[in-house]
Amino acid sequence: MADNLRENEEGELYDSSDEEEEEEEQQQQQNWEDWEADEDEEEEETESNVLCLFCDSVYGSSGALFEHCTSTHSFDFRRIRKTLALDFYASFKLINFVRSQVVQNICWSCGLHCQSNQDLHNHLHEGVHDLHGATPKDGTLPWNDEKFLNPFMIEDPLLYSFDEDDECEDELTTSSDKEKLLRNLSSFEQISMSVENENDTETCTSSLSTSFENGLKKVASSPDEYLDRENPEKAMVDGFASYMGSSNGKSEGIQSRISSAKVAEKRVINANKNYFSSYSSFGIHREMISDKARTDAYRQAILDNPSLLKSAVVLDVGCGTGILSLFAAQAGASRVFAVEASDKMAAVATQIAKDNGVLWTGNQNKGDGRCSEVIEVVHAMVEELETSGHIQPHSVDVLVSEWMGYCLLYESMLSSVLFARDKWLKPGGAILPDTATMFVAGFGKGATSIPFWENVYGFSMSCVGNELVAEAAQVPIIDIVDDNNIVTNTAVLQTFDLVTMKPEEMDFTAMIELKPKLDCPSNEFSLESKTSCCYGVVLWFETCFTTRFGKEMPTVLSTSPYAPKTHWSQTILTFRDPIAIVSGQLFAEKSAAVGTESCPAVKVLSRISIARAPQHRSIDISVEMAAVALDGRKRSWPAQIFNLC
């Protein structure tokens, strides 16, 4: 205390610590204001750097840029968008398409390949109907390709602002969901980057991670008034997104992407390390093995199809304890490669195989002629096997893996299975399981926490339940949903054929239509009005060991609310606001909003996108809803973004 005493002008002593604290607070406030000012300047700089689609001109807004493009380059973006009735996503793709064509000196409209950029500028002409010979009615617009949903130019401000002043809105796409979708589109990163020579940028190769809308898929059964019936073919973008500008800018852009790729690669390595370490816990393996539906399905598919496994070479991807490899050995496989990336579990699987007398020692045959020592545990990621020489290319008869995660695609292990299929499976070889299907349905209040809090020993605590439901709308919930709480029909979200699918098909968008379930229990539907509330959607999956390979005994493993419980449970996505639905005809107030009790919906249309997230092994889920009343009126809600990580 004495150290803080000072003498003022009148000779009186006072405590200087308060003065010092006040000065420190003022300094912090000044630093905060300086930081905010710097941030505002950065934002202003970003906002004023919109690069022209055709030349090096830079403008302060998308509006000014489009005026320039119209007058100088005969490219009237607004007119093209209106004439072709392009929605937000198609417009997004158009911008990336034009940039990709200009960098190659190709006319975006007619496809003419010019000798130079100047020749292209001299050639540019207005073109709306003359698009590579296609008219809008043909549905073959040249930018109708999913690769154009990946930003062609890194950090392209135009993609964030092209529809600022435009009133042409997609019915299910509001400003708030565009912001969220764009944030995710812009955060895509190059993973699995391999740089042979840092001084030679031409040797760089990359694998693009995907955005919410990568792999856009339309469902033909959806109503005409709701969706575009385009069904573009899926494609991956090879190499880097190109940079428009000078040669120096291009070089700097590539070098910047190399640096970013190294950071991304390090994140992937760390994510893999954490992922495989998490499977070192015996508790996880006990939970999986104790899942009777899961383990019995695999056991039946392997042991009850003797013609498939007898004398076969088997590859078990992600073997864990090696239980599937043990089944394969028991079924008569001649050799089983059990691949496991976790240090601990690879050692455990080796010991288990040894303890059970099936560990590969090089002595294939016992004295009785039986082949029992067949399991070789390989400690590696399956992607690393190619250089190890453990397995010869296309030498495997049967590929087996329990790769499924929550919501089927969480953990992204499916890509490893497809990699193994392409590298080591023989032509015509078997994959177990060989198909997977995702399903979706709407759930009612009974699947939320609201009923519990409505009556707590005779007291209403509904405010707690309502707050919990609001919080649940922010994150996906993994839990069991009782089939009595399903209030709509079940719709197929996506089907995967593991024999033929490509890795990019893991990212998709699907349209579904949900209608009230007529046989729903009375506790969910009011007997008087036949109305209920849909509080969200629940996702689940099933994998099948079909007769394609399991000729003696096909098997289905289901995680449905209507099937026995599994450790996967179901994935619950809660709406911000419940949607009132009605089964049958009911008088509705025309002035009331669709989806309310005064005007319940007869069906709910939804667009659901699932894609691998920038955070390795995570997935992002986007859900958009539109309620349709009996008289045809519609009401849509902003998209909700869920991250399963």
Side-chain angles (χ1 to χ4, degrees), residues 440-473:
V440 61
F443 65 84
K445 184 169 70 173
T448 71
S449 59
I450 292 177
F452 174 84
W453 295 101
E454 284 182 332
N455 187 344
V456 182
Y457 288 93
F459 300 101
S460 173
M461 299 185 182
S462 297
C463 60
V464 177
N466 293 333
E467 184 172 335
L468 290 174
V469 170
E471 292 176 358

Side-chain angles (χ1 to χ4, degrees), residues 48-67:
S48 62
N49 191 27
V50 186
L51 182 66
C52 176
L53 293 165
F54 301 94
C55 65
D56 294 332
S57 301
V58 176
Y59 290 86
S61 68
S62 59
L65 182 146
F66 289 138
E67 291 295 332

Side-chain angles (χ1 to χ4, degrees), residues 235-289:
M236 288 293 287
V237 182
D238 296 325
F240 293 115
S242 299
Y243 177 78
M244 298 256 316
S246 64
S247 58
N248 290 336
K250 184 175 182 179
S251 176
E252 291 172 2
I254 292 177
Q255 293 294 341
S256 174
R257 287 192 287 278
I258 293 174
S259 176
S260 298
K262 289 181 178 178
V263 173
E265 186 176 15
K266 185 175 181 180
R267 289 175 181 170
V268 170
I269 292 172
N270 291 335
N272 285 335
K273 183 178 179 180
N274 294 334
Y275 168 69
F276 294 121
S277 296
S278 70
Y279 276 87
S280 296
S281 167
F282 292 136
I284 292 176
H285 293 280
R286 176 171 180 170
E287 181 184 24
M288 292 189 294
I289 293 174

Side-chain angles (χ1 to χ4, degrees), residues 124-155:
L124 287 174
H125 56 88
E126 293 188 15
V128 174
H129 298 288
D130 181 24
L131 301 173
H132 293 276
T135 64
K137 292 183 179 179
D138 294 331
T140 55
L141 296 173
W143 57 86
N144 190 16
D145 192 314
E146 297 314 294
K147 66 183 179 182
F148 296 119
L149 280 171
N150 283 315
F152 183 81
M153 190 179 79
I154 301 300
E155 297 181 0

Side-chain angles (χ1 to χ4, degrees), residues 135-392:
T135 64
K137 292 183 179 179
D138 294 331
T140 55
L141 296 173
W143 57 86
N144 190 16
D145 192 314
E146 297 314 294
K147 66 183 179 182
F148 296 119
L149 280 171
N150 283 315
F152 183 81
M153 190 179 79
I154 301 300
E155 297 181 0
D156 187 353
L158 184 59
L159 296 176
Y160 294 79
S161 58
F162 68 82
D163 66 334
E164 282 178 346
D165 303 319
D166 201 288
E167 297 180 357
C168 180
E169 296 287 338
D170 179 62
E171 192 164 36
L172 283 177
T173 310
T174 63
S175 59
S176 62
D177 74 292
K178 284 176 189 172
E179 270 180 34
K180 294 178 180 177
L181 289 169
L182 280 170
R183 277 201 300 270
N184 288 279
L185 283 164
S186 65
S187 66
F188 82 97
E189 57 185 334
Q190 323 268 0
I191 64 173
S192 302
M193 171 67 73
S194 172
V195 181
E196 299 283 340
N197 183 346
E198 292 182 13
N199 296 323
D200 184 4
T201 58
E202 294 301 319
T203 63
C204 299
T205 60
S206 66
S207 174
L208 295 177
S209 67
T210 51
S211 67
F212 278 107
E213 296 302 317
N214 187 25
L216 195 68
K217 181 176 181 180
K218 308 296 184 181
V219 176
S221 60
S222 299
D224 291 336
E225 71 273 17
Y226 173 64
L227 60 90
D228 184 354
R229 290 189 178 273
E230 298 169 351
N231 188 12
E233 189 175 315
K234 302 178 190 300
M236 288 293 287
V237 182
D238 296 325
F240 293 115
S242 299
Y243 177 78
M244 298 256 316
S246 64
S247 58
N248 290 336
K250 184 175 182 179
S251 176
E252 291 172 2
I254 292 177
Q255 293 294 341
S256 174
R257 287 192 287 278
I258 293 174
S259 176
S260 298
K262 289 181 178 178
V263 173
E265 186 176 15
K266 185 175 181 180
R267 289 175 181 170
V268 170
I269 292 172
N270 291 335
N272 285 335
K273 183 178 179 180
N274 294 334
Y275 168 69
F276 294 121
S277 296
S278 70
Y279 276 87
S280 296
S281 167
F282 292 136
I284 292 176
H285 293 280
R286 176 171 180 170
E287 181 184 24
M288 292 189 294
I289 293 174
S290 299
D291 186 336
K292 187 172 176 60
R294 165 197 179 269
T295 308
D296 282 357
Y298 275 90
R299 184 176 185 273
Q300 181 174 315
I302 294 172
L303 294 181
D304 292 350
N305 289 287
S307 65
L308 178 63
L309 273 296
K310 187 176 180 180
S311 301
V313 176
V314 178
L315 174 60
D316 180 2
V317 179
C319 71
T321 59
I323 183 65
L324 303 187
S325 295
L326 293 169
F327 289 153
Q330 187 178 7
S334 63
R335 190 77 182 274
V336 180
F337 295 99
V339 181
E340 176 55 50
S342 167
D343 299 358
K344 182 176 181 179
M345 291 314 300
V348 169
T350 300
Q351 187 62 48
I352 290 174
K354 183 178 180 181
D355 292 345
N356 286 274
V358 291
L359 183 65
W360 174 263
T361 60
N363 299 319
Q364 299 185 37
N365 294 311
K366 292 284 188 180
D368 59 4
R370 286 188 305 107
C371 177
S372 60
E373 297 175 347
V374 298
I375 297 179
E376 179 180 355
V377 179
V378 183
H379 175 214
M381 290 178 59
V382 72
E383 290 83 357
E384 300 169 348
L385 287 179
E386 192 172 13
T387 57
S388 69
H390 274 91
I391 310 174
Q392 293 301 311

Side-chain angles (χ1 to χ4, degrees), residues 372-436:
S372 60
E373 297 175 347
V374 298
I375 297 179
E376 179 180 355
V377 179
V378 183
H379 175 214
M381 290 178 59
V382 72
E383 290 83 357
E384 300 169 348
L385 287 179
E386 192 172 13
T387 57
S388 69
H390 274 91
I391 310 174
Q392 293 301 311
H394 307 297
S395 62
V396 171
D397 298 298
V398 179
L399 171 60
V400 62
S401 179
E402 195 275 78
W403 53 268
M404 300 83 72
Y406 295 129
C407 197
L408 185 66
L409 298 174
Y410 174 63
E411 295 178 346
S412 299
M413 192 176 163
L414 177 55
S415 58
S416 297
V417 174
L418 300 180
F419 180 89
R421 176 200 67 185
D422 295 339
K423 293 294 182 181
W424 294 289
L425 193 63
K426 290 180 179 178
I431 301 180
L432 302 178
D434 58 310
T435 67

